[in-house]
Structures are given as C-alpha cells and as structure tokens.
Amino acid sequence: MNGKHVVVIGSGFAGISAATHLAASGYQVTVAEKNSTPGGRARKFETGGFVFDMGPSWYWMPDVFDRYFETFGKKVSDYYDLVRLDPSYAVIYGKDDILSIPADLQAFKQMFEDLESGSGKRLEEFLSQAAYKYQVGIHDLVHKPSRSLMEFARLSLLRDLFRMDIFQSMSKHVRKFFKEDKIIRLMEFPVLFLGETAENIPALYSLMNYADIALGTWYPMGGMHKIIEGMVALAEEKGVEFRFSSPVKQINVTNGKAHSITFENGETLDADVVVAGADYHHVDTKLLAPAYRNYSDSYWDTRVMAPSSLLFYLGVDKKLKNLLHHNLYFDEPLGPHADAIYTRPRWPEKPLFYVSAPSVTDPSVAPEGKENLFLLVPLAPGLTDTEELREKYYHMVMDRLEALSGQEIRSHVIYRRSYAHKDFMADYHAFKGNAYGLANTLTQTAILKPSLKSKKVSNLYYTGQLTVPGPGVPPSLISGGVVAKEIQKEHQ
Ligand SMILES: Cc1cc2nc3c(=O)[nH]c(=O)nc-3n(C[C@H](O)[C@H](O)[C@H](O)COP(=O)(O)OP(=O)(O)OC[C@H]3O[C@@H](n4cnc5c(N)ncnc54)[C@H](O)[C@@H]3O)c2cc1C
C-alpha cells in the first residue's frame, strides 16, 4: 500500500478497470456507485427465469478482454466461458432477403464474391489495411492519455496518421473497394457503434471491420454481465471496496485540490485522488462548483453525442424461428433514420432496429422452451420520451419483426419492459439521455475529446465513454487502465 486513497465514482467498465489497476499497484481504492448493482450501462436484471443484459450485447475485440485479465495474472476463462458465434449475425434486408454472416473468413469472402464479382479479392486488401489500423490503433493509439499533441509526435506515428486514414471518411473508403449496396451497408454497420454514420467517421475505424470479420463475434455464457461479475471479483481480490446505492452529490475542492466527496446522504469520504467514472457532463456540471468545471454549457451543447436508444426487454413464452443471436433489421434505408438522429433530431418515421435473442445460444437466460429478446431502436439524444411514443414504436417494430420473421410474437410476450431517454438520465445521469457517450467523429477524437485530467483540480481525473479513447466496452476497459497509469505517474 502506498497510503493514498483513491475514490472512483461509478462502477461501469471504466470505473472498475481504473479501480483494479490502481488497487493492484498499491492504492487503497473505494468505488462509490449510485445504483444497487455494478456494471453501469452493462447491468442485468432477472425476472421469471429470464436474465436480461440491460446494455451491451456484442462481445467484440476479445484480445482486449484477454489483455485486461492477463495484466493481473488471470485468464478470461477464470471468470466466464466464451463462445464464438457462428453465424456471427444476420442482416435482414427484406423478407427472405437475409445475409447470415459466417464466422469463417473463406466463407465470408465467398459470400462477397456471390454478391459482387471480384469483391472477395478486394476484401483481402481492405482487411490487410484494417488489420494494420487495428494493430496501431488498439495496441498503441488508444492507450495514449491524449493530453498533448506531443504524444503523437513520434515520426513513425506521424507517418502512420496518413496510412491510418484519419482524414478520409469511412463512407468514401468503403466505396473505393465495393459497389454492391448490401456489401456497403454491411461494411458501414460496425462504425454505428462509434455513435455516428460512416460519412462522419474517419476511415481509421475500418479497424472495426477487422474486429468484426477477422476477430469475430463472441458471447460469454450466462450473458454480458458475466464480464462485470468477473471484473468485480478480481477488483475485490485486489482489495477494492465497493459501496453500492451510494450516489455522490459533490466533489469537495479547496485551492484546486479535491480532498473528499460528499454522498447524497450527507456522509463524506476523504480522498487523495478522485476518478470520475460517471458521465463526464454530470460530474463536470453537477458534482463540481462552477469555478472548477472543465467545460462551459455551450461546449457541452455543441458536442455530438452518440445516440440514445429505445429498448425493449421481452420474455416470450415459446421458441421463435428465423432468429439468430444477433439480428440487424436493415429493411429500410439508413439515410432518413440517420437524418432523424443527427441532422433534424426527431422520432424516425421508419427506424432500423436490432434484435438480440441470447437464448438462441444460451439456455440459462430464459426458462426452458422460452425466448429472451432485446429490441433496440437507435434514437437522437435529447428527444421527448413518453409512454405513448414507446407504445407506438413497440407496435411499429413488432409489425415489421413479425412480418419479416414470419411469425406471431406479440401475443406470446409474457414479460415486457421498455427503457429510453428518461431511464438513461435517471439511472446513469446520462447527458440528454445518451446511451453510448460521445460520438467518435474526427473533431472528437484523441486530444479533441473531453480531457481525462481536470484542468483546474490537480488530483481529479475522468474515465469512461465520454473521454479517451471513446464509446464501447473495450474502449471503456482501456480508458480505466489509461487513467490509472496517469495517476501512478503523478500521485505515487
Ligand atoms: C443499450 C446499449 C447497448 C450497447 N451495446 C454495446 C455493445 O453491444 N458492445 C459494446 O462494446 N458496447 C456497447 N454499448 C456501450 C457500452 O455499454 C458502454 O460504452 C460502456 O458500458 C460504458 O461504460 P462506462 O464505465 O464508461 O459508463 P457507465 O457504464 O455508464 O458507468 C458509469 C457509472 O457511474 C454511475 N454514476 C453516475 N452518476 C453517479 C453519481 N453521482 N454517484 C455515483 N455513481 C454514479 C452510474 O450509475 C454508472 O454505474 C452499449 C450501451 C448501451 C446503453
């Protein structure tokens, strides 16, 4: 123990990761979490034998999780059983117009060839560039704290910046290789995870296609929450103390130094260092006195937030046909839906949607003979969210799901819970009810993101999906490690 006490606010992936790295290197660490269970956006709930993951469902970049546990002398298999999905997922372009995406690379190339002659060969070139970006991006760039341009000043990195396609859009990049509309939509899908459309995401992020096609789609048996359970067990083993149902009300600062936090119940807890793993905007605007905020209201108002979502957790009393574990419904064009998210925020007329049916893979998440469904409709952040609108969209999406999968589902739904903006705000203090944090646009990348270190409070740091490296489970895990390293350098 080095005698320093770190308080981490929030027990999402980033908060637990930061806490574990710090505890393992000798700090005394307390995690203060407002909710009664850990995981933040990746919490779970159980009812009537159904186990619902509340947020993330795609396990991509398995190497990032491997490295996380290996850092502490552990293996992923010490905590959960990982299986690779095959097919990886289905893309539904229309009734009986479905691509089932094979896990095997040769079969994937053949699928491309069948859609567009010569595209299999071009995919090889696309993937070799993407593999390079993945190596540099995930093994080097994302581990930079991005506090100064000088971190990127190494000659080899500067050369890489061009090879990494920072200044070209993903949309243009994909069209250089492929012409067939279905291929283009498939190749542009992974960047939606980064909170923007392919027109506004740098082609650097074709590394996501490498993650999708080469590294594969995986699933921890028992559900995504198994990752959180494993991380919490490891954190506790390293000595981290978790305090649940403990919302933080204030970070107390004197002369530019945080010395304690105050909980909603009035209790205070001393701290030598504070790590804010709760939503950055909430911490900056609600937990700090105005003089200590990093950013102004107008700064926050001009950030491009990643979408919010309307979610439905459904328990169905029969097994369903024509559904894989992951199903992307691209039977309507993305353009008008993207316009409703990014350009003129409104509830979309004909939304694309996503359905996860983890019980297709995992019998433990639904009672025997039943199906566990998770429906997701991406929406603009900041929209007015009412029960009437949720109901309207439930039926809109269900009409399409039933027609496209050729079966009656609604009358078999025995459990239904909806979740949208109001819940994201109430549960996570999410700015405008965002689901995935801040979009990874070019002007919100690396040093242009909200800084991981406070400019005004010498021992206050930020981690999580609104700071570096960005949204998603693997980046959040990495974010916790990056911030822990900065603290070790500056507050040993
Ligand atoms: C519906 C949905 C689907 C997703 N799908 C995927 C996917 O398939 N794959 C993927 O990789 N990523 C996915 N993501 C993104 C991924 O889940 C997030 O990027 C990641 O979980 C963010 O982790 P975090 O630690 O930054 O934040 P959070 O998980 O939000 O953690 C922040 C924590 O801070 C707590 N907190 C807030 N305010 C306070 C306070 N005042 N006091 C104490 N505690 C506080 C919150 O309760 C929360 O527990 C999805 C997200 C959502 C919402």
Side-chain angles (χ1 to χ4, degrees):
M1 283 270 178
N2 65 17
K4 299 222 165 172
H5 182 217
V6 182
V7 173
V8 177
I9 304 172
S11 70
F13 280 103
I16 304 174
S17 166
T20 310
H21 279 97
L22 288 166
S25 56
Y27 295 80
Q28 185 203 341
V29 184
T30 307
V31 176
E33 166 58 54
K34 80 179 269 293
N35 293 321
S36 58
T37 55
R41 283 162 166 88
R43 287 179 305 151
K44 70 165 182 187
F45 72 94
E46 298 185 41
T47 180
F50 293 98
V51 183
F52 292 103
D53 275 316
M54 293 186 71
S57 53
W58 297 77
Y59 191 108
W60 273 10
M61 306 186 181
D63 53 326
V64 172
F65 298 86
D66 290 345
R67 251 194 323 277
Y68 179 78
F69 287 105
E70 277 162 14
T71 304
F72 306 105
K74 301 285 184 184
K75 296 191 295 291
V76 157
S77 58
D78 293 334
Y79 298 99
Y80 49 90
D81 293 329
L82 202 56
V83 293
R84 182 162 182 180
L85 301 183
D86 188 9
S88 305
Y89 52 94
V91 186
I92 296 94
Y93 295 102
K95 178 100 175 106
D96 304 322
D97 186 5
I98 297 167
L99 276 188
S100 184
I101 309 300
D104 176 70
L105 189 54
Q106 282 312 321
F108 191 99
K109 267 194 235 162
Q110 189 55 51
M111 179 184 75
F112 266 38
E113 254 330 292
D114 295 345
L115 287 166
E116 178 185 336
S117 172
S119 63
K121 191 85 198 132
R122 289 195 295 279
L123 177 68
E124 280 173 22
E125 173 57 20
F126 185 97
L127 281 182
S128 94
Q129 292 182 15
Y132 178 76
K133 293 175 193 171
Y134 190 85
Q135 287 314 319
V136 180
I138 299 299
H139 296 290
D140 187 353
L141 293 183
V142 296
H143 296 274
K144 298 202 173 295
S146 296
R147 290 171 60 184
S148 148
L149 259 184
M150 292 312 286
E151 293 168 31
F152 301 88
R154 240 179 40 227
L155 193 62
S156 61
L157 253 187
L158 284 177
R159 262 200 323 263
D160 274 347
L161 286 185
F162 289 95
R163 204 169 156 195
M164 300 285 283
D165 273 333
I166 307 271
F167 302 110
Q168 184 186 194
S169 81
M170 186 62 196
S171 166
K172 279 209 176 104
H173 182 62
V174 168
R175 282 167 176 76
K176 274 191 192 159
F177 287 83
F178 311 108
K179 303 264 170 300
E180 154 60 46
D181 182 56
K182 280 185 189 151
I183 294 187
I184 291 173
R185 291 166 79 182
L186 176 62
M187 297 301 271
E188 288 185 347
F189 137 71
V191 300
L192 294 178
F193 282 130
L194 305 173
E196 250 287 7
T197 56
E199 283 83 33
N200 297 317
I201 293 276
L204 159 69
Y205 291 107
S206 68
L207 65 85
M208 296 287 286
N209 298 99
Y210 178 76
D212 171 7
I213 300 164
L215 302 182
T217 301
W218 299 75
Y219 174 77
M221 293 301 283
M224 293 293 280
H225 194 264
K226 286 285 168 198
I227 317 167
I228 291 292
E229 286 170 22
M231 288 175 66
V232 169
L234 175 58
E236 285 179 333
E237 197 183 301
K238 297 291 170 199
V240 174
E241 187 202 344
F242 286 88
R243 293 178 64 165
F244 295 111
S245 305
S246 302
V248 175
K249 187 175 170 205
Q250 192 170 302
I251 300 170
N252 305 308
V253 182
T254 305
N255 297 329
K257 196 160 181 250
H259 52 81
S260 61
I261 57 155
T262 302
F263 291 101
E264 292 278 359
N265 67 5
E267 192 192 333
T268 61
L269 182 64
D270 289 345
D272 297 299
V273 178
V274 175
V275 178
D279 273 33
Y280 203 128
H281 168 269
H282 164 68
V283 177
D284 200 36
T285 60
K286 299 285 184 310
L287 303 191
L288 286 165
Y292 293 117
R293 287 179 189 164
N294 253 358
Y295 300 104
S296 63
D297 287 346
S298 64
Y299 171 89
W300 285 114
D301 274 338
T302 50
R303 290 315 88 191
V304 181
M305 299 310 292
S308 184
S309 296
L310 171 60
L311 308 173
F312 292 100
Y313 309 99
L314 305 176
V316 180
D317 75 357
K318 63 169 182 177
K319 287 307 247 184
L320 298 173
K321 55 183 185 172
N322 301 331
L323 280 183
L324 295 184
H325 187 129
H326 296 294
N327 310 273
L328 298 164
Y329 288 85
F330 287 3
D331 53 312
E332 294 290 345
L334 172 62
H337 188 175
D339 184 73
I341 296 176
Y342 300 107
T343 316
R344 286 181 301 128
R346 61 188 188 279
W347 285 74
E349 286 77 37
K350 291 178 177 169
L352 278 62
F353 61 96
Y354 159 65
V355 175
S356 174
S359 46
V360 167
T361 310
D362 183 354
S364 77
V365 297
E368 205 183 332
K370 302 192 169 41
E371 212 80 271
N372 173 324
L373 292 189
F374 168 85
L375 261 66
L376 183 153
V377 182
L379 294 172
L383 294 182
T384 305
D385 150 36
T386 64
E387 282 311 314
E388 294 70 35
L389 281 163
R390 292 184 187 197
E391 192 64 17
K392 176 178 159 189
Y393 277 78
Y394 175 69
H395 290 292
M396 189 191 283
V397 168
M398 274 299 192
D399 285 345
R400 275 169 51 204
L401 179 59
E402 289 182 338
L404 290 163
S405 69
Q407 64 204 314
E408 168 83 27
I409 302 176
R410 257 167 296 193
S411 56
H412 293 275
V413 170
I414 51 174
Y415 176 79
R416 162 149 73 119
R417 174 178 173 187
S418 67
Y419 198 96
H421 302 71
K422 277 196 259 186
D423 304 288
F424 282 109
M425 289 190 266
D427 285 353
Y428 311 119
H429 294 134
F431 182 43
K432 298 185 179 172
N434 81 79
Y436 323 102
L438 199 73
N440 259 359
T441 59
L442 183 55
T443 54
Q444 295 187 160
T445 294
I447 80 160
L448 301 174
K449 272 198 194 297
S451 170
L452 111 174
K453 167 120 201 242
S454 166
K455 300 175 216 163
K456 298 175 183 157
V457 183
S458 63
N459 54 347
L460 171 61
Y461 296 79
Y462 294 83
T463 188
Q465 60 175 358
L466 275 86
T467 179
V468 286
V473 173
S476 301
L477 267 186
I478 291 170
S479 181
V482 174
V483 86
K485 250 195 220 124
E486 290 300 285
I487 292 167
Q488 286 158 27
K489 268 197 283 181
E490 298 178 351
H491 300 274
Q492 192 52 264

